[in-house]
Amino acid sequence: MDLDRFTHLIDAYGADIEHWPARDQAAADRLLAASSEARELQRAALRFDNRLLAATLPEIEPSDDLRARIFAQVAALPATAVATPPGWRAQIAEALALLFPAGRAMPQLATLALALFIGIGAGLSNFSLIDTQEVELVAVQLASTAPLLYEE
């Protein structure tokens, strides 16, 4: 590693070599051991890093005018400006957009499906706990509702 590369890395990543790309760390350590100029650059960068860490940022609130301009720009964006997920996600998003044009039925559908799966799962898991008398009672109840299901 030469001094130019070392200066570039120190400017990009700071004085702590642990924050540098792994492939450059060993070469930077060797340069620091051999070059007093590199050590001086690192000390100067360390002082700068410490100043940055010690500095307090002022509390800045955006003005009402700035907020209004940002919201106006976002509202003026066309619907196609929203990024679509890449690849197969885009295909699923397009299919869901065809099924639910407003896009608002999806949470209700997911809730209904979840409730249905939980109900079926609970019913099937408790089926083995029913004793023979209860099975006969369930059969009688189902048989009594059968005529109601087939009435025209």
Short mmCIF file of all heavy atoms in Angstrom, two decimals, residues 77-150:
data_model
loop_
_atom_site.label_atom_id
_atom_site.label_comp_id
_atom_site.label_asym_id
_atom_site.label_seq_id
_atom_site.Cartn_x
_atom_site.Cartn_y
_atom_site.Cartn_z
N LEU A 77 -46.40 13.29 -7.44
CA LEU A 77 -45.75 12.16 -8.10
C LEU A 77 -46.81 11.26 -8.73
O LEU A 77 -47.85 10.98 -8.10
CB LEU A 77 -44.93 11.35 -7.11
CG LEU A 77 -43.64 11.98 -6.60
CD1 LEU A 77 -43.02 11.08 -5.53
CD2 LEU A 77 -42.66 12.19 -7.73
N PRO A 78 -46.56 10.76 -9.93
CA PRO A 78 -47.51 9.81 -10.53
C PRO A 78 -47.45 8.47 -9.80
O PRO A 78 -46.46 8.16 -9.14
CB PRO A 78 -47.03 9.68 -11.97
CG PRO A 78 -45.59 10.08 -11.93
CD PRO A 78 -45.46 11.08 -10.82
N ALA A 79 -48.52 7.71 -9.92
CA ALA A 79 -48.57 6.42 -9.23
C ALA A 79 -47.48 5.48 -9.71
O ALA A 79 -47.03 4.61 -8.98
CB ALA A 79 -49.94 5.78 -9.43
N THR A 80 -47.01 5.66 -10.93
CA THR A 80 -45.95 4.79 -11.46
C THR A 80 -44.59 5.13 -10.89
O THR A 80 -43.64 4.40 -11.10
CB THR A 80 -45.90 4.89 -13.00
OG1 THR A 80 -45.68 6.26 -13.34
CG2 THR A 80 -47.17 4.39 -13.62
N ALA A 81 -44.48 6.25 -10.18
CA ALA A 81 -43.19 6.62 -9.60
C ALA A 81 -42.83 5.75 -8.41
O ALA A 81 -41.69 5.71 -8.00
CB ALA A 81 -43.21 8.08 -9.17
N VAL A 82 -43.81 5.03 -7.87
CA VAL A 82 -43.53 4.14 -6.75
C VAL A 82 -42.80 2.92 -7.28
O VAL A 82 -43.22 2.30 -8.25
CB VAL A 82 -44.85 3.72 -6.06
CG1 VAL A 82 -44.57 2.74 -4.93
CG2 VAL A 82 -45.59 4.94 -5.55
N ALA A 83 -41.68 2.61 -6.68
CA ALA A 83 -40.85 1.51 -7.16
C ALA A 83 -41.55 0.18 -6.93
O ALA A 83 -42.11 -0.06 -5.86
CB ALA A 83 -39.50 1.51 -6.45
N THR A 84 -41.53 -0.69 -7.95
CA THR A 84 -42.09 -2.02 -7.80
C THR A 84 -40.96 -2.97 -7.43
O THR A 84 -39.83 -2.79 -7.88
CB THR A 84 -42.76 -2.50 -9.10
OG1 THR A 84 -41.80 -2.44 -10.14
CG2 THR A 84 -43.95 -1.62 -9.44
N PRO A 85 -41.26 -3.98 -6.64
CA PRO A 85 -40.23 -4.93 -6.27
C PRO A 85 -39.72 -5.67 -7.50
O PRO A 85 -40.47 -5.92 -8.44
CB PRO A 85 -40.95 -5.90 -5.31
CG PRO A 85 -42.20 -5.22 -4.93
CD PRO A 85 -42.54 -4.25 -6.01
N PRO A 86 -38.45 -6.05 -7.51
CA PRO A 86 -37.89 -6.72 -8.68
C PRO A 86 -38.30 -8.18 -8.76
O PRO A 86 -38.64 -8.81 -7.77
CB PRO A 86 -36.38 -6.60 -8.46
CG PRO A 86 -36.24 -6.52 -6.98
CD PRO A 86 -37.46 -5.78 -6.50
N GLY A 87 -38.30 -8.73 -9.97
CA GLY A 87 -38.46 -10.15 -10.20
C GLY A 87 -39.82 -10.70 -9.85
O GLY A 87 -40.85 -10.11 -10.19
N TRP A 88 -39.83 -11.84 -9.20
CA TRP A 88 -41.07 -12.55 -8.91
C TRP A 88 -41.97 -11.75 -7.98
O TRP A 88 -43.19 -11.89 -8.00
CB TRP A 88 -40.79 -13.93 -8.32
CG TRP A 88 -39.99 -13.90 -7.05
CD1 TRP A 88 -38.64 -13.91 -6.92
CD2 TRP A 88 -40.50 -13.84 -5.71
NE1 TRP A 88 -38.28 -13.87 -5.60
CE2 TRP A 88 -39.39 -13.83 -4.83
CE3 TRP A 88 -41.78 -13.80 -5.18
CZ2 TRP A 88 -39.53 -13.78 -3.45
CZ3 TRP A 88 -41.92 -13.75 -3.81
CH2 TRP A 88 -40.80 -13.74 -2.96
N ARG A 89 -41.39 -10.88 -7.17
CA ARG A 89 -42.22 -10.05 -6.28
C ARG A 89 -43.09 -9.10 -7.10
O ARG A 89 -44.22 -8.81 -6.73
CB ARG A 89 -41.34 -9.27 -5.32
CG ARG A 89 -40.61 -10.16 -4.35
CD ARG A 89 -39.75 -9.34 -3.42
NE ARG A 89 -39.01 -10.20 -2.54
CZ ARG A 89 -37.78 -9.98 -2.15
NH1 ARG A 89 -37.17 -8.90 -2.52
NH2 ARG A 89 -37.17 -10.83 -1.36
N ALA A 90 -42.55 -8.60 -8.21
CA ALA A 90 -43.32 -7.71 -9.07
C ALA A 90 -44.50 -8.45 -9.67
O ALA A 90 -45.60 -7.90 -9.79
CB ALA A 90 -42.43 -7.13 -10.16
N GLN A 91 -44.29 -9.72 -10.05
CA GLN A 91 -45.39 -10.50 -10.61
C GLN A 91 -46.48 -10.73 -9.58
O GLN A 91 -47.67 -10.63 -9.88
CB GLN A 91 -44.86 -11.83 -11.13
CG GLN A 91 -43.93 -11.67 -12.31
CD GLN A 91 -43.28 -12.98 -12.71
OE1 GLN A 91 -43.36 -13.97 -11.99
NE2 GLN A 91 -42.63 -12.99 -13.87
N ILE A 92 -46.10 -11.01 -8.35
CA ILE A 92 -47.10 -11.21 -7.29
C ILE A 92 -47.82 -9.91 -7.02
O ILE A 92 -49.04 -9.87 -6.85
CB ILE A 92 -46.43 -11.77 -6.02
CG1 ILE A 92 -45.94 -13.20 -6.27
CG2 ILE A 92 -47.39 -11.73 -4.83
CD1 ILE A 92 -45.13 -13.78 -5.14
N ALA A 93 -47.07 -8.80 -6.99
CA ALA A 93 -47.69 -7.50 -6.75
C ALA A 93 -48.68 -7.15 -7.85
O ALA A 93 -49.78 -6.63 -7.58
CB ALA A 93 -46.62 -6.42 -6.63
N GLU A 94 -48.34 -7.47 -9.11
CA GLU A 94 -49.26 -7.20 -10.21
C GLU A 94 -50.50 -8.07 -10.11
O GLU A 94 -51.62 -7.61 -10.35
CB GLU A 94 -48.56 -7.44 -11.54
CG GLU A 94 -47.51 -6.40 -11.88
CD GLU A 94 -46.70 -6.78 -13.11
OE1 GLU A 94 -47.11 -7.70 -13.84
OE2 GLU A 94 -45.66 -6.14 -13.32
N ALA A 95 -50.33 -9.34 -9.74
CA ALA A 95 -51.49 -10.24 -9.60
C ALA A 95 -52.41 -9.77 -8.48
O ALA A 95 -53.63 -9.76 -8.62
CB ALA A 95 -51.02 -11.67 -9.35
N LEU A 96 -51.83 -9.36 -7.37
CA LEU A 96 -52.64 -8.86 -6.26
C LEU A 96 -53.34 -7.56 -6.64
O LEU A 96 -54.47 -7.31 -6.22
CB LEU A 96 -51.79 -8.66 -5.02
CG LEU A 96 -51.34 -9.95 -4.32
CD1 LEU A 96 -50.40 -9.63 -3.18
CD2 LEU A 96 -52.53 -10.74 -3.82
N ALA A 97 -52.66 -6.73 -7.44
CA ALA A 97 -53.29 -5.48 -7.88
C ALA A 97 -54.49 -5.77 -8.78
O ALA A 97 -55.48 -5.03 -8.76
CB ALA A 97 -52.27 -4.61 -8.60
N LEU A 98 -54.41 -6.85 -9.56
CA LEU A 98 -55.56 -7.23 -10.40
C LEU A 98 -56.70 -7.77 -9.55
O LEU A 98 -57.87 -7.49 -9.81
CB LEU A 98 -55.14 -8.27 -11.44
CG LEU A 98 -54.21 -7.77 -12.54
CD1 LEU A 98 -53.75 -8.94 -13.41
CD2 LEU A 98 -54.90 -6.72 -13.39
N LEU A 99 -56.36 -8.56 -8.52
CA LEU A 99 -57.39 -9.11 -7.65
C LEU A 99 -58.03 -8.05 -6.77
O LEU A 99 -59.24 -8.06 -6.53
CB LEU A 99 -56.80 -10.21 -6.76
CG LEU A 99 -56.46 -11.52 -7.45
CD1 LEU A 99 -55.73 -12.44 -6.49
CD2 LEU A 99 -57.71 -12.20 -7.97
N PHE A 100 -57.21 -7.15 -6.27
CA PHE A 100 -57.69 -6.12 -5.36
C PHE A 100 -57.27 -4.76 -5.89
O PHE A 100 -56.26 -4.21 -5.47
CB PHE A 100 -57.09 -6.34 -3.96
CG PHE A 100 -57.30 -7.72 -3.43
CD1 PHE A 100 -56.26 -8.62 -3.38
CD2 PHE A 100 -58.55 -8.12 -2.99
CE1 PHE A 100 -56.45 -9.89 -2.90
CE2 PHE A 100 -58.75 -9.39 -2.52
CZ PHE A 100 -57.70 -10.29 -2.48
N PRO A 101 -58.05 -4.19 -6.82
CA PRO A 101 -57.65 -2.93 -7.43
C PRO A 101 -57.45 -1.81 -6.42
O PRO A 101 -56.56 -0.99 -6.56
CB PRO A 101 -58.79 -2.60 -8.38
CG PRO A 101 -59.56 -3.85 -8.53
CD PRO A 101 -59.30 -4.69 -7.34
N ALA A 102 -58.28 -1.76 -5.41
CA ALA A 102 -58.12 -0.70 -4.42
C ALA A 102 -56.99 -1.01 -3.45
O ALA A 102 -56.47 -0.13 -2.80
CB ALA A 102 -59.42 -0.50 -3.64
N GLY A 103 -56.61 -2.29 -3.35
CA GLY A 103 -55.53 -2.68 -2.48
C GLY A 103 -55.89 -2.72 -1.01
O GLY A 103 -55.07 -2.95 -0.16
N ARG A 104 -57.15 -2.50 -0.70
CA ARG A 104 -57.54 -2.41 0.71
C ARG A 104 -58.16 -3.70 1.23
O ARG A 104 -58.37 -3.83 2.41
CB ARG A 104 -58.52 -1.26 0.89
CG ARG A 104 -57.85 0.04 0.55
CD ARG A 104 -58.65 1.19 0.98
NE ARG A 104 -57.87 2.40 0.68
CZ ARG A 104 -58.38 3.54 0.42
NH1 ARG A 104 -59.68 3.69 0.43
NH2 ARG A 104 -57.62 4.57 0.15
N ALA A 105 -58.46 -4.63 0.35
CA ALA A 105 -59.10 -5.87 0.80
C ALA A 105 -58.09 -6.89 1.29
O ALA A 105 -58.46 -7.86 1.92
CB ALA A 105 -59.93 -6.47 -0.34
N MET A 106 -56.82 -6.68 1.00
CA MET A 106 -55.81 -7.66 1.37
C MET A 106 -55.74 -7.91 2.88
O MET A 106 -55.69 -9.07 3.29
CB MET A 106 -54.46 -7.21 0.82
CG MET A 106 -53.45 -8.30 0.78
SD MET A 106 -54.06 -9.65 -0.24
CE MET A 106 -52.80 -10.82 0.04
N PRO A 107 -55.71 -6.91 3.73
CA PRO A 107 -55.66 -7.21 5.17
C PRO A 107 -56.88 -7.99 5.66
O PRO A 107 -56.75 -8.91 6.47
CB PRO A 107 -55.59 -5.83 5.83
CG PRO A 107 -55.07 -4.93 4.78
CD PRO A 107 -55.56 -5.48 3.47
N GLN A 108 -58.05 -7.66 5.12
CA GLN A 108 -59.25 -8.38 5.54
C GLN A 108 -59.20 -9.83 5.06
O GLN A 108 -59.58 -10.74 5.79
CB GLN A 108 -60.52 -7.70 4.98
CG GLN A 108 -60.83 -6.39 5.64
CD GLN A 108 -60.10 -5.22 5.01
OE1 GLN A 108 -59.30 -5.37 4.11
NE2 GLN A 108 -60.37 -4.03 5.52
N LEU A 109 -58.71 -10.05 3.83
CA LEU A 109 -58.61 -11.40 3.31
C LEU A 109 -57.61 -12.22 4.13
O LEU A 109 -57.87 -13.38 4.45
CB LEU A 109 -58.18 -11.36 1.84
CG LEU A 109 -58.04 -12.71 1.17
CD1 LEU A 109 -59.41 -13.38 1.04
CD2 LEU A 109 -57.40 -12.56 -0.19
N ALA A 110 -56.50 -11.63 4.47
CA ALA A 110 -55.49 -12.33 5.26
C ALA A 110 -56.05 -12.68 6.64
O ALA A 110 -55.82 -13.78 7.16
CB ALA A 110 -54.23 -11.48 5.40
N THR A 111 -56.80 -11.78 7.24
CA THR A 111 -57.39 -12.04 8.55
C THR A 111 -58.41 -13.17 8.47
O THR A 111 -58.45 -14.06 9.33
CB THR A 111 -58.05 -10.76 9.09
OG1 THR A 111 -57.07 -9.72 9.14
CG2 THR A 111 -58.62 -10.98 10.47
N LEU A 112 -59.23 -13.14 7.43
CA LEU A 112 -60.23 -14.20 7.25
C LEU A 112 -59.56 -15.55 7.04
O LEU A 112 -59.97 -16.56 7.65
CB LEU A 112 -61.12 -13.86 6.05
CG LEU A 112 -62.19 -14.89 5.70
CD1 LEU A 112 -63.20 -15.01 6.84
CD2 LEU A 112 -62.87 -14.51 4.41
N ALA A 113 -58.52 -15.60 6.21
CA ALA A 113 -57.82 -16.85 5.97
C ALA A 113 -57.16 -17.38 7.24
O ALA A 113 -57.21 -18.57 7.53
CB ALA A 113 -56.77 -16.66 4.87
N LEU A 114 -56.57 -16.48 8.02
CA LEU A 114 -55.94 -16.89 9.27
C LEU A 114 -56.97 -17.47 10.24
O LEU A 114 -56.74 -18.51 10.85
CB LEU A 114 -55.21 -15.71 9.90
CG LEU A 114 -54.49 -15.99 11.22
CD1 LEU A 114 -53.39 -17.03 11.02
CD2 LEU A 114 -53.92 -14.72 11.78
N ALA A 115 -58.10 -16.79 10.37
CA ALA A 115 -59.15 -17.28 11.26
C ALA A 115 -59.66 -18.65 10.80
O ALA A 115 -59.91 -19.55 11.61
CB ALA A 115 -60.29 -16.27 11.33
N LEU A 116 -59.81 -18.81 9.48
CA LEU A 116 -60.27 -20.09 8.94
C LEU A 116 -59.28 -21.21 9.24
O LEU A 116 -59.67 -22.28 9.71
CB LEU A 116 -60.47 -19.94 7.43
CG LEU A 116 -60.94 -21.19 6.70
CD1 LEU A 116 -62.36 -21.55 7.13
CD2 LEU A 116 -60.89 -20.97 5.20
N PHE A 117 -57.99 -20.96 9.01
CA PHE A 117 -56.98 -21.98 9.27
C PHE A 117 -56.88 -22.31 10.76
O PHE A 117 -56.69 -23.46 11.14
CB PHE A 117 -55.63 -21.56 8.72
CG PHE A 117 -55.55 -21.61 7.22
CD1 PHE A 117 -55.07 -20.53 6.51
CD2 PHE A 117 -55.97 -22.73 6.53
CE1 PHE A 117 -55.00 -20.57 5.13
CE2 PHE A 117 -55.92 -22.78 5.15
CZ PHE A 117 -55.44 -21.70 4.44
N ILE A 118 -56.98 -21.31 11.61
CA ILE A 118 -56.94 -21.57 13.05
C ILE A 118 -58.14 -22.40 13.47
O ILE A 118 -58.02 -23.35 14.26
CB ILE A 118 -56.86 -20.25 13.85
CG1 ILE A 118 -55.48 -19.61 13.65
CG2 ILE A 118 -57.14 -20.48 15.33
CD1 ILE A 118 -55.35 -18.23 14.27
N GLY A 119 -59.31 -22.06 12.95
CA GLY A 119 -60.52 -22.83 13.30
C GLY A 119 -60.44 -24.27 12.84
O GLY A 119 -60.78 -25.19 13.58
N ILE A 120 -60.00 -24.47 11.60
CA ILE A 120 -59.88 -25.84 11.09
C ILE A 120 -58.83 -26.61 11.89
O ILE A 120 -59.04 -27.77 12.27
CB ILE A 120 -59.53 -25.82 9.59
CG1 ILE A 120 -60.74 -25.33 8.79
CG2 ILE A 120 -59.10 -27.20 9.11
CD1 ILE A 120 -60.46 -25.09 7.33
N GLY A 121 -57.70 -25.96 12.16
CA GLY A 121 -56.65 -26.63 12.92
C GLY A 121 -57.10 -27.00 14.32
O GLY A 121 -56.83 -28.09 14.81
N ALA A 122 -57.79 -26.09 14.98
CA ALA A 122 -58.28 -26.38 16.34
C ALA A 122 -59.30 -27.50 16.31
O ALA A 122 -59.30 -28.39 17.17
CB ALA A 122 -58.88 -25.12 16.95
N GLY A 123 -60.17 -27.48 15.31
CA GLY A 123 -61.18 -28.53 15.21
C GLY A 123 -60.57 -29.89 14.96
O GLY A 123 -60.97 -30.89 15.56
N LEU A 124 -59.60 -29.96 14.09
CA LEU A 124 -58.97 -31.24 13.78
C LEU A 124 -58.10 -31.74 14.92
O LEU A 124 -58.02 -32.94 15.16
CB LEU A 124 -58.13 -31.12 12.50
CG LEU A 124 -58.92 -30.94 11.21
CD1 LEU A 124 -57.97 -30.74 10.04
CD2 LEU A 124 -59.84 -32.11 10.96
N SER A 125 -57.47 -30.83 15.64
CA SER A 125 -56.61 -31.27 16.72
C SER A 125 -57.42 -31.78 17.91
O SER A 125 -56.95 -32.63 18.65
CB SER A 125 -55.68 -30.14 17.17
OG SER A 125 -56.43 -29.10 17.77
N ASN A 126 -58.62 -31.29 18.10
CA ASN A 126 -59.45 -31.72 19.22
C ASN A 126 -60.38 -32.87 18.86
O ASN A 126 -61.08 -33.38 19.72
CB ASN A 126 -60.29 -30.55 19.74
CG ASN A 126 -59.45 -29.51 20.42
OD1 ASN A 126 -58.40 -29.84 20.97
ND2 ASN A 126 -59.87 -28.28 20.37
N PHE A 127 -60.38 -33.30 17.62
CA PHE A 127 -61.30 -34.35 17.20
C PHE A 127 -61.02 -35.67 17.91
O PHE A 127 -61.93 -36.41 18.24
CB PHE A 127 -61.23 -34.54 15.68
CG PHE A 127 -62.31 -35.41 15.14
CD1 PHE A 127 -63.61 -34.94 15.09
CD2 PHE A 127 -62.04 -36.70 14.70
CE1 PHE A 127 -64.63 -35.74 14.60
CE2 PHE A 127 -63.06 -37.50 14.23
CZ PHE A 127 -64.35 -37.02 14.17
N SER A 128 -59.76 -35.96 18.17
CA SER A 128 -59.42 -37.23 18.83
C SER A 128 -59.81 -37.22 20.31
O SER A 128 -59.86 -38.27 20.94
CB SER A 128 -57.93 -37.52 18.68
OG SER A 128 -57.19 -36.51 19.35
N LEU A 129 -60.09 -36.05 20.89
CA LEU A 129 -60.46 -35.97 22.30
C LEU A 129 -61.93 -36.27 22.53
O LEU A 129 -62.36 -36.44 23.67
CB LEU A 129 -60.14 -34.57 22.84
CG LEU A 129 -58.68 -34.14 22.77
CD1 LEU A 129 -58.52 -32.71 23.24
CD2 LEU A 129 -57.81 -35.07 23.58
N ILE A 130 -62.71 -36.36 21.48
CA ILE A 130 -64.15 -36.62 21.62
C ILE A 130 -64.35 -38.11 21.88
O ILE A 130 -63.83 -38.95 21.15
CB ILE A 130 -64.90 -36.19 20.34
CG1 ILE A 130 -64.69 -34.70 20.10
CG2 ILE A 130 -66.37 -36.52 20.44
CD1 ILE A 130 -65.29 -34.20 18.80
N ASP A 131 -65.11 -38.44 22.90
CA ASP A 131 -65.36 -39.86 23.16
C ASP A 131 -66.53 -40.35 22.30
O ASP A 131 -67.13 -39.59 21.56
CB ASP A 131 -65.60 -40.11 24.65
CG ASP A 131 -66.83 -39.39 25.18
OD1 ASP A 131 -67.53 -38.77 24.39
OD2 ASP A 131 -67.06 -39.46 26.40
N THR A 132 -66.84 -41.63 22.39
CA THR A 132 -67.82 -42.24 21.49
C THR A 132 -69.22 -41.66 21.68
O THR A 132 -69.97 -41.54 20.72
CB THR A 132 -67.86 -43.76 21.70
OG1 THR A 132 -68.11 -44.03 23.08
CG2 THR A 132 -66.56 -44.38 21.28
N GLN A 133 -69.60 -41.31 22.92
CA GLN A 133 -70.93 -40.73 23.12
C GLN A 133 -71.05 -39.38 22.44
O GLN A 133 -72.08 -39.06 21.85
CB GLN A 133 -71.23 -40.59 24.61
CG GLN A 133 -71.43 -41.92 25.32
CD GLN A 133 -71.69 -41.73 26.81
OE1 GLN A 133 -71.50 -40.63 27.33
NE2 GLN A 133 -72.11 -42.79 27.48
N GLU A 134 -70.00 -38.60 22.53
CA GLU A 134 -70.04 -37.29 21.89
C GLU A 134 -70.04 -37.43 20.37
O GLU A 134 -70.65 -36.62 19.67
CB GLU A 134 -68.87 -36.45 22.36
CG GLU A 134 -69.00 -36.01 23.81
CD GLU A 134 -67.79 -35.21 24.29
OE1 GLU A 134 -66.88 -34.96 23.48
OE2 GLU A 134 -67.77 -34.86 25.48
N VAL A 135 -69.36 -38.45 19.83
CA VAL A 135 -69.36 -38.68 18.39
C VAL A 135 -70.77 -38.97 17.92
O VAL A 135 -71.22 -38.46 16.89
CB VAL A 135 -68.39 -39.82 18.02
CG1 VAL A 135 -68.56 -40.23 16.57
CG2 VAL A 135 -66.97 -39.41 18.29
N GLU A 136 -71.50 -39.79 18.69
CA GLU A 136 -72.88 -40.09 18.32
C GLU A 136 -73.74 -38.84 18.38
O GLU A 136 -74.60 -38.62 17.52
CB GLU A 136 -73.44 -41.18 19.25
CG GLU A 136 -72.79 -42.54 19.04
CD GLU A 136 -73.22 -43.55 20.08
OE1 GLU A 136 -74.04 -43.21 20.96
OE2 GLU A 136 -72.71 -44.67 20.02
N LEU A 137 -73.51 -37.99 19.38
CA LEU A 137 -74.27 -36.75 19.50
C LEU A 137 -73.97 -35.83 18.32
O LEU A 137 -74.88 -35.22 17.75
CB LEU A 137 -73.92 -36.05 20.82
CG LEU A 137 -74.62 -34.73 21.09
CD1 LEU A 137 -76.13 -34.92 21.14
CD2 LEU A 137 -74.12 -34.11 22.36
N VAL A 138 -72.71 -35.74 17.93
CA VAL A 138 -72.34 -34.92 16.78
C VAL A 138 -72.99 -35.48 15.52
O VAL A 138 -73.50 -34.73 14.69
CB VAL A 138 -70.80 -34.85 16.63
CG1 VAL A 138 -70.40 -34.22 15.31
CG2 VAL A 138 -70.20 -34.07 17.79
N ALA A 139 -73.01 -36.79 15.37
CA ALA A 139 -73.62 -37.42 14.21
C ALA A 139 -75.12 -37.12 14.16
O ALA A 139 -75.67 -36.82 13.10
CB ALA A 139 -73.38 -38.92 14.21
N VAL A 140 -75.79 -37.17 15.32
CA VAL A 140 -77.22 -36.85 15.37
C VAL A 140 -77.45 -35.39 15.01
O VAL A 140 -78.38 -35.05 14.26
CB VAL A 140 -77.79 -37.17 16.78
CG1 VAL A 140 -79.18 -36.61 16.95
CG2 VAL A 140 -77.79 -38.67 17.02
N GLN A 141 -76.61 -34.51 15.51
CA GLN A 141 -76.76 -33.09 15.20
C GLN A 141 -76.55 -32.82 13.71
O GLN A 141 -77.30 -32.07 13.09
CB GLN A 141 -75.79 -32.25 16.03
CG GLN A 141 -76.16 -32.19 17.49
CD GLN A 141 -75.11 -31.46 18.34
OE1 GLN A 141 -73.98 -31.30 17.90
NE2 GLN A 141 -75.50 -31.06 19.53
N LEU A 142 -75.55 -33.47 13.13
CA LEU A 142 -75.31 -33.29 11.70
C LEU A 142 -76.46 -33.86 10.88
O LEU A 142 -76.89 -33.26 9.89
CB LEU A 142 -73.99 -33.95 11.29
CG LEU A 142 -72.71 -33.24 11.73
CD1 LEU A 142 -71.49 -34.08 11.38
CD2 LEU A 142 -72.61 -31.87 11.09
N ALA A 143 -76.96 -35.00 11.31
CA ALA A 143 -78.07 -35.62 10.58
C ALA A 143 -79.33 -34.76 10.67
O ALA A 143 -80.11 -34.68 9.72
CB ALA A 143 -78.34 -37.02 11.12
N SER A 144 -79.54 -34.11 11.80
CA SER A 144 -80.73 -33.29 11.93
C SER A 144 -80.66 -32.02 11.09
O SER A 144 -81.68 -31.47 10.70
CB SER A 144 -80.97 -32.92 13.40
OG SER A 144 -79.93 -32.09 13.86
N THR A 145 -79.46 -31.56 10.76
CA THR A 145 -79.34 -30.37 9.93
C THR A 145 -79.31 -30.70 8.44
O THR A 145 -79.49 -29.83 7.60
CB THR A 145 -78.06 -29.58 10.27
OG1 THR A 145 -76.93 -30.41 10.07
CG2 THR A 145 -78.11 -29.06 11.69
N ALA A 146 -79.07 -31.97 8.11
CA ALA A 146 -79.00 -32.37 6.71
C ALA A 146 -80.25 -32.02 5.92
O ALA A 146 -80.16 -31.53 4.80
CB ALA A 146 -78.64 -33.84 6.59
N PRO A 147 -81.47 -32.27 6.44
CA PRO A 147 -82.65 -31.90 5.65
C PRO A 147 -82.72 -30.39 5.37
O PRO A 147 -83.20 -29.99 4.32
CB PRO A 147 -83.82 -32.34 6.51
CG PRO A 147 -83.27 -33.38 7.42
CD PRO A 147 -81.83 -33.01 7.62
N LEU A 148 -82.21 -29.59 6.28
CA LEU A 148 -82.23 -28.17 6.07
C LEU A 148 -81.28 -27.75 4.94
O LEU A 148 -81.55 -26.80 4.20
CB LEU A 148 -81.84 -27.42 7.36
CG LEU A 148 -82.77 -27.60 8.55
CD1 LEU A 148 -82.19 -26.91 9.77
CD2 LEU A 148 -84.14 -27.04 8.24
N LEU A 149 -80.21 -28.50 4.80
CA LEU A 149 -79.25 -28.17 3.77
C LEU A 149 -79.76 -28.50 2.37
O LEU A 149 -79.36 -27.87 1.39
CB LEU A 149 -77.93 -28.91 4.02
CG LEU A 149 -77.18 -28.53 5.30
CD1 LEU A 149 -75.97 -29.43 5.48
CD2 LEU A 149 -76.76 -27.07 5.25
N TYR A 150 -80.62 -29.52 2.27
CA TYR A 150 -81.06 -29.98 0.95
C TYR A 150 -82.45 -29.51 0.59
O TYR A 150 -82.97 -29.90 -0.45
CB TYR A 150 -80.98 -31.50 0.89
CG TYR A 150 -79.55 -31.99 1.03
CD1 TYR A 150 -79.13 -32.64 2.18
CD2 TYR A 150 -78.63 -31.76 0.02
CE1 TYR A 150 -77.83 -33.08 2.31
CE2 TYR A 150 -77.33 -32.18 0.15
CZ TYR A 150 -76.94 -32.84 1.29
OH TYR A 150 -75.64 -33.26 1.42
#
